[in-house]
Amino acid sequence: MAGKVLFITGASSGIGAQTARQAADAGWKVALFARSEDKLKDLASEIGENAIALPGDVTDLGSLQAAVDKTQETFGSLDAVFANAGTGLDTPGIEKGDPEEWSKLIDINIKGILLTLKASYPALKKAKGHLVLTGSVAGRIHISASVYGASKWFVHGLAGNMTPDMREWGGRCTVIAPGMVDTPFFDEAKPDKLKPEDIAKAVVYAIDQPEHANVQEIVVMPTQ
């Protein structure tokens, strides 16, 4: 797998940043996409010549398309995409939920993944590449009135639908379903839960499989 290229959304912190580090250690070139330009540049500098910082907005197709084009210009191909960008809600549930927050969540967690796939699909098809989506255990179980959970059900459904589509042209699709992870996603630290490194290992494991094998889903749960 040495020298292949991985495009990561939500790459500036947490799971995305750690996946970039571990993928680079495994021989991948990494294209880092997120809104936080300073964090991206710092991460790209840390990784070195096999990383490129691509500031942009996952809800903007033009921004994503420009980043995908720049990735191919710089590294010569695009072999895998990790659609990882996501957000949660400050006010969960329906009764007290904020429709403006729902719109933001839908834009990032649902439309953002669709736009990422739209922008990268031709490059993935050309490379017979690999799509990896950040789902959630919340997208595999029912949580009372969870709008966030429903958005992750969409992600799992999309992954299931993309698997046969990509198989037709030699591509692969994987959904990673973490339990609670100690990342900036939460307002308070979760020291007894999963770490971003745990999820990054799952992503790298999936994309480093031989071409005849597709790991379609990985569920990673904390032991406590």
Side-chain angles (χ1 to χ4, degrees):
M1 294 296 176
K4 288 198 171 184
V5 181
L6 172 63
F7 180 84
I8 304 171
T9 69
S12 61
S13 64
I15 292 168
Q18 193 57 39
T19 298
R21 294 184 182 100
Q22 292 193 22
D25 286 346
W28 288 76
K29 297 174 182 178
V30 290
L32 313 173
F33 184 89
R35 287 178 294 185
S36 181
E37 185 171 359
D38 290 345
K39 288 182 180 179
L40 284 187
K41 287 182 175 179
D42 287 347
L43 180 58
S45 177
E46 174 193 331
I47 293 171
E49 63 182 3
N50 286 331
I52 181 174
L54 299 167
D57 186 346
V58 78
T59 67
D60 180 357
L61 179 59
S63 179
L64 283 160
Q65 190 63 69
V68 166
D69 292 346
K70 184 67 174 178
T71 298
Q72 294 178 96
E73 242 177 67
T74 304
F75 292 134
S77 68
L78 196 163
D79 303 283
V81 171
F82 181 28
N84 167 68
T87 190
L89 296 171
D90 290 332
T91 308
I94 299 297
E95 186 176 8
K96 295 181 179 179
D98 181 351
E100 289 188 11
E101 265 201 305
W102 297 344
S103 293
K104 180 183 176 183
L105 178 136
I106 290 167
D107 282 345
I108 295 173
N109 290 14
I110 295 178
K111 289 173 64 179
I113 284 184
L114 290 172
L115 294 176
T116 299
L117 181 53
K118 178 71 173 177
S120 61
Y121 191 92
L124 285 173
K125 193 170 184 178
K126 180 179 179 181
K128 296 183 179 179
H130 199 142
L131 173 66
V132 183
L133 307 177
T134 298
S136 172
V137 169
R140 301 179 84 253
I141 62 174
H142 293 289
I143 301 171
S144 180
S146 175
V147 177
Y148 169 79
S151 76
K152 290 300 183 177
W153 275 79
F154 173 86
V155 175
H156 282 257
L158 179 65
N161 291 347
M162 290 310 302
T163 296
D165 173 81
M166 297 178 72
R167 188 186 300 125
E168 291 180 4
W169 42 262
R172 296 179 288 180
C173 183
T174 301
V175 60
I176 310 291
M180 189 172 287
V181 184
D182 186 20
T183 72
F185 182 88
F186 296 103
D187 293 333
E188 297 179 1
K190 308 288 183 183
D192 60 337
K193 301 304 180 184
L194 297 167
K195 304 300 177 188
E197 293 87 342
D198 303 320
I199 312 309
K201 286 178 184 175
V203 176
V204 174
Y205 172 79
I207 62 177
D208 269 350
Q209 291 302 299
E211 291 183 2
H212 65 270
N214 182 29
V215 178
Q216 291 187 204
E217 182 179 22
I218 301 178
V219 178
V220 187
M221 289 291 291
T223 55
Q224 298 183 19

